[in-house]
């Protein structure tokens, strides 16, 4: 068998400089992913602290029968009267606070991975080519896939804790759940892991298109508000006020197309027994037509503005802090 000339072997092997460039590029990608994880976690905590009371009102309006509440402010009044200000409006906050750091961290990490995936599938673009809004949207949709693994069970726990405060307890009667861990324990005992993860399909059906609209809208508003020079090229960074406005707009854009899906998800996750998606949809429509899919949209829209403004503000400030430290 003829031997391979050493010159041919040398040509097939990458040079030392090429190996170095690949290592540097891989390191940059890894650092970028870690920063996205950390910044997403900070943004998530900000979102929960600002938006949880609005979310509680939304869920209670979505999961109660018609006539229990006269509107969002009626939910607030009755909740505070029955459970107090802090315990009432922040009922169930432990679950999202514990879960939101990894949930938002994975969302922003998934968005970062999604952008790299989109870049690899776009042969005519280089690493310096700006993403189009449609590419940002595709990366946003991808971010919801890994996030659902964490989001679905924490949403299930949060919903059950949020609605149990509505029940009028008899003298001496204790709430069914004592906290988030107790919810998981009881759900697993009743129906195993499937019970804990009930509503996962609808969670992904909500968060996929919702995240696509979320990240695309944020990027679009950012580009419109970024200072430009006479030739139209970006000439400066966004102010914190502009970041807040872009985040608020992204939050509203996210909820508009997916709110009916969120209502179905909340009903599924709060119902007793073994409800189905089809049965839940039919039940909602029978009770109030199309309007039945939009209870609590006012609180959801009201929450979207401050919560998502806080999210992106937290993310951007976290990135700025990490850029200074590293």
């Amino acid at each position: 068998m003829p031997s391979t000339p050493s010159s041919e072997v040398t040509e097939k092997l990458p040079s030392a400089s090429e190996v170095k460039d690949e290592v540097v590029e891989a390191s940059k990608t890894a650092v970028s992913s870690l920063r996205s994880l950390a910044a997403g976690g900070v943004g998530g905590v900000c979102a929960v602290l600002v938006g949880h009371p609005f979310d509680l009102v939304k869920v209670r309006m979505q999961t109660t029968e018609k006539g229990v509440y006269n509107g969002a402010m009626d939910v607030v009044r009755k909740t505070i009267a029955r459970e107090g200000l802090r315990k009432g409006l922040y009922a169930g906050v432990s679950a999202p606070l514990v879960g939101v750091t990894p949930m938002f961290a994975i969302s922003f990490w998934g968005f970062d991975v999604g952008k790299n995936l989109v870049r690899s599938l776009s042969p005519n673009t280089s690493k310096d080519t700006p993403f189009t809004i449609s590419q940002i949207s595709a990366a946003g949709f991808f971010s919801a896939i890994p996030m659902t693994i964490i989001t679905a069970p924490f949403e299930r726990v949060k919903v059950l804790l949020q609605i149990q405060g509505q029940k009028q307890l008899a003298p001496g009667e204790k709430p069914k759940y004592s906290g988030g861990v107790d919810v998981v324990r009881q759900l697993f005992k009743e129906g195993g892991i499937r019970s804990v993860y009930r509503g996962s399909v609808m969670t992904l059906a909500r968060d996929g298109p919702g995240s696509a609209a979320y990240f695309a809208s944020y990027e679009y508003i950012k580009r419109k508000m970024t200072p430009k020079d006479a030739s139209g090229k970006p000439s400066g960074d966004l102010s914190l006020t502009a970041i807040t406005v872009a985040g608020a707009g992204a939050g509203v854009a996210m909820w508009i197309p997916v709110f009916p899906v969120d209502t179905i998800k909340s009903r599924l996750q709060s119902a007793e027994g073994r409800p189905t998606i089809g049965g839940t949809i039919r039940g909602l429509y029978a009770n109030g037509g199309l309007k039945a899919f939009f209870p609590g949209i006012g609180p959801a829209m009201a929450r979207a503005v401050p919560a998502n403004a806080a999210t992106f503000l937290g993310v951007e400030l976290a990135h700025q802090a990490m850029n200074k430290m590293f």
Side-chain angles (χ1 to χ4, degrees):
M1 178 179 258
S3 60
T4 305
S6 59
S7 59
E8 291 184 18
V9 175
T10 305
E11 287 174 2
K12 291 179 182 178
L13 293 174
S15 65
S17 62
E18 288 175 332
V19 172
K20 182 180 178 181
D21 289 342
E22 288 181 5
V23 170
V24 170
E25 192 61 37
S27 300
K28 287 181 179 179
T29 302
V31 170
S32 175
S33 295
L34 289 173
R35 287 185 173 184
S36 295
L37 277 167
V42 172
V45 171
C46 294
V48 171
L49 294 178
V50 172
H52 189 79
F54 296 95
D55 186 65
L56 179 135
V57 173
K58 172 185 72 71
V59 169
R60 291 193 171 181
M61 291 184 72
Q62 286 176 325
T63 55
T64 52
E65 297 303 320
K66 190 176 180 180
V68 175
Y69 298 116
N70 295 325
M73 291 309 299
D74 189 40
V75 178
V76 174
R77 283 193 296 269
K78 288 179 178 177
T79 296
I80 294 175
R82 186 167 50 233
E83 304 162 62
L85 181 62
R86 183 180 62 83
K87 293 184 74 173
L89 294 183
Y90 279 90
V93 74
S94 58
L97 266 182
V98 171
V100 81
T101 300
M103 186 175 74
F104 272 77
I106 288 176
S107 174
F108 279 85
W109 167 80
F111 179 58
D112 203 46
V113 173
K115 288 193 293 185
N116 290 332
L117 184 63
V118 167
R119 182 83 75 193
S120 68
L121 295 174
S122 305
N124 296 326
T125 61
S126 67
K127 63 180 181 179
D128 298 319
T129 305
F131 288 100
T132 65
I133 297 301
S134 61
Q135 288 175 325
I136 292 290
S137 181
F141 189 97
F142 178 85
S143 73
I145 298 174
M147 186 176 70
T148 300
I149 298 171
I150 293 178
T151 305
F154 275 100
E155 288 267 315
R156 174 94 152 113
V157 171
K158 182 199 70 173
V159 166
L160 290 173
L161 287 174
Q162 284 178 329
I163 67 170
Q164 81 166 355
Q166 298 174 114
K167 182 183 177 183
Q168 193 68 41
L169 299 175
E173 183 183 2
K174 293 183 179 180
K176 182 178 180 180
Y177 304 114
S178 60
V181 175
D182 188 43
V183 175
V184 174
R185 182 182 62 80
Q186 291 195 43
L187 289 176
F188 191 82
K189 185 177 179 181
E190 291 167 6
I193 197 69
R194 288 188 65 180
S195 180
V196 177
Y197 270 86
R198 183 200 291 175
S200 296
V201 172
M202 297 310 297
T203 300
L204 182 57
R206 178 197 66 178
D207 290 347
S211 295
Y214 188 57
F215 286 106
S217 299
Y218 179 69
E219 186 64 25
Y220 178 80
I221 298 170
K222 268 182 65 176
R223 291 182 184 183
K224 287 294 183 182
M225 298 185 72
T226 299
K228 296 177 177 63
D229 59 23
S231 64
K233 293 181 179 180
S235 60
D237 296 326
L238 275 179
S239 66
L240 293 182
T241 302
I243 291 169
T244 302
V245 170
V252 172
M254 175 188 70
W255 275 113
I256 291 173
V258 300
F259 194 85
V261 180
D262 184 66
T263 299
I264 298 166
K265 179 202 72 69
S266 294
R267 284 281 184 163
L268 267 174
Q269 293 183 320
S270 64
E272 296 182 358
R274 296 186 176 183
T276 63
I277 294 174
T280 302
I281 293 172
R282 288 191 295 271
L284 279 165
Y285 189 78
N287 286 334
L290 291 176
K291 192 176 179 181
F293 292 90
F294 292 90
I297 191 169
M301 291 295 107
R303 173 190 179 276
V305 173
N308 290 287
T311 298
F312 279 103
L313 189 59
V315 168
E316 295 288 352
L317 289 175
H319 273 299
Q320 289 179 18
M322 286 186 284
N323 286 337
K324 290 179 180 179
M325 289 188 292
F326 307 109

